Amino acid sequence: MQGNFSYHNPTKLYFGDESLNYLKDEMKNFGPVVLLNYGSGSVKRNGIYDQVVAILKAAGKTIVENPDVMSNPTLEKLHEGVKIARENNVDWILALGGGSVCDYSKGVAASVFYEGDYWNQFWLNQQNPPVGQKILPVGCILTMAGTGSEMNGGCVITDAEKNFKVGHVFDDRLMPKFSILNPKFTMTVPDNQMKAGLYDIMNHIMEQYFSDFDDNTSDYLSEGLMRSLITASRIVVKNPQDYEARSNIMWTATWALNTLLKCGKSQDWMVHMIGHSVGAWTHAPHGYCLAAVSMAYYRRAMKPGLPKFVRFAKNVWDIQGNGMTDEQIAEAGLEALKAWMLEIGLPLTISEIGATTDMIPGITKGTICYPAGYMDLKSEDITEILQESM
């Protein structure tokens, strides 16, 4: 490993089909007023909400509810959550839902006690809360595997009026204090959200994997996680109630983006940058947006990153490569990736998720570009990738 890094992850995890039982043990660590953030109501229909509320009430907590957190949380919704938290003097936040609810909760937690323009400071200027600022603690009860938000400081917010979607990775202060991961809770997720989550996991790993050429332990970890995800995904699309597959997917999602794999890596997050902008215009599930631009992007990255793409083909997809050139091996690896994406039902073009050619200039404008991975992209490159992804 060639890079220099520090590693610290303060989030405590409870994993398994009995993990919700540990919520009552965490109650002693937090104040009496809790802001309960959740989505559009699926947690009520499947009974998870009732279980959580019963535990909170038994612990004597005052519950302030903030429902209807959407899959791509908006700036308007962020303002609403901050207002609710301030008016009710909440002591901590509990996110009940998927990664978007977890993301959103961290955004609210960071912003409640900030006296200035938190949107401008945290997301547009990519700054962290000032040293010494009070930050609300966050706990997560995860109902969907994908983002890894349960064990990182990431928070993605969309300015719907400007079709601009941007993420910020906060420092350790915004990492959840605890997260509860029950694979059974993911079994009620709609099919399209499950599939979107599968590719979100895969791409989180790939964004970190496709950078640098040194012999890095992180890459060996990444290859194992990708292989595990591929195996489990093939099972779960056929049998969504398979607990073992669900548990492996959920655990892989956490390790894909809990800051471990990035150690010693330069990383490449440009598929996410393009995908975020596509999502801001189409409002499609995040993982679908990533899948729809990936093939065009990685075919472009393959030439400058050829040794790593050869390794990807051999170690992740078992491409033997006998009698093949490195370019042919790398291409075979991308074809295997494409075949897997089709197998589990992912879109391969942005037109499939609602993008039109007249959106391309706006999507290009909304894409944040920076040197990453094996390429230094300009706006004209983004336009070409989007055109190739139509």
Side-chain angles (χ1 to χ4, degrees), residues 4-248:
N4 297 281
F5 58 87
S6 64
Y7 179 74
H8 173 66
N9 195 312
T11 302
K12 185 175 185 178
L13 293 180
Y14 299 98
F15 189 95
D17 60 358
E18 298 180 358
S19 56
L20 187 60
N21 294 337
Y22 292 97
L23 178 60
K24 63 180 182 294
D25 298 331
E26 287 290 335
M27 293 302 92
K28 64 181 182 295
N29 300 320
F30 303 99
V33 183
V34 55
L35 177 63
L36 181 61
N37 294 329
Y38 58 94
S40 59
S42 62
V43 292
K44 288 189 173 182
R45 293 189 297 273
N46 60 30
I48 299 171
Y49 168 90
D50 290 336
Q51 296 178 59
V52 171
V53 167
I55 295 171
L56 293 174
K57 288 183 175 179
K61 302 300 182 183
T62 298
I63 304 170
V64 178
E65 296 199 19
N66 181 21
D68 301 320
V69 178
M70 59 287 291
S71 59
N72 291 299
T74 64
L75 178 57
E76 181 181 10
K77 184 64 179 176
L78 177 65
H79 292 327
E80 179 185 338
V82 171
K83 183 173 184 289
I84 292 171
R86 287 173 174 172
E87 290 178 347
N88 290 276
N89 296 312
V90 303
D91 297 299
W92 62 292
I93 299 174
L94 183 60
L96 174 59
S100 293
V101 181
C102 298
D103 270 25
Y104 171 80
S105 296
K106 284 177 272 185
V108 173
S111 304
V112 169
F113 294 100
Y114 185 70
E115 297 180 354
D117 184 340
Y118 47 79
W119 170 246
N120 185 70
Q121 181 75 353
F122 301 155
W123 284 273
L124 299 186
N125 290 336
Q126 293 289 297
Q127 299 298 306
N128 285 311
V131 175
Q133 180 200 304
K134 184 178 179 181
I135 295 171
L136 291 176
V138 175
C140 298
I141 301 174
L142 198 63
T143 62
M144 177 182 169
T147 68
S149 189
E150 67 275 8
M151 204 178 185
N152 64 44
C155 175
V156 181
I157 299 293
T158 299
D159 183 341
E161 291 185 3
K162 297 182 179 179
N163 290 325
F164 181 64
K165 183 175 181 180
V166 60
H168 177 56
V169 180
F170 288 99
D171 60 36
D172 291 359
R173 292 174 292 167
L174 269 299
M175 286 186 174
K177 302 304 179 186
F178 72 90
S179 289
I180 291 171
L181 283 65
N182 183 341
K184 287 185 176 178
F185 290 173
T186 70
M187 293 181 180
T188 60
V189 171
D191 185 67
N192 69 320
Q193 291 290 347
M194 178 191 74
K195 292 176 179 178
L198 290 172
Y199 194 73
D200 196 17
I201 300 165
M202 186 70 165
N203 195 246
H204 285 160
I205 303 170
M206 292 169 68
E207 297 271 37
Q208 297 164 94
Y209 181 76
F210 285 117
S211 63
D212 309 314
F213 294 112
D214 60 321
D215 186 26
N216 192 312
T217 297
S218 297
D219 290 336
Y220 293 91
L221 296 172
S222 293
E223 289 163 357
L225 289 171
M226 284 188 279
R227 291 176 69 93
S228 175
L229 178 67
I230 293 163
T231 298
S233 67
R234 286 170 167 158
I235 295 170
V236 80
V237 294
K238 295 178 181 177
N239 179 14
Q241 302 303 308
D242 190 296
Y243 178 84
E244 185 173 66
R246 287 281 190 177
S247 65
N248 284 331

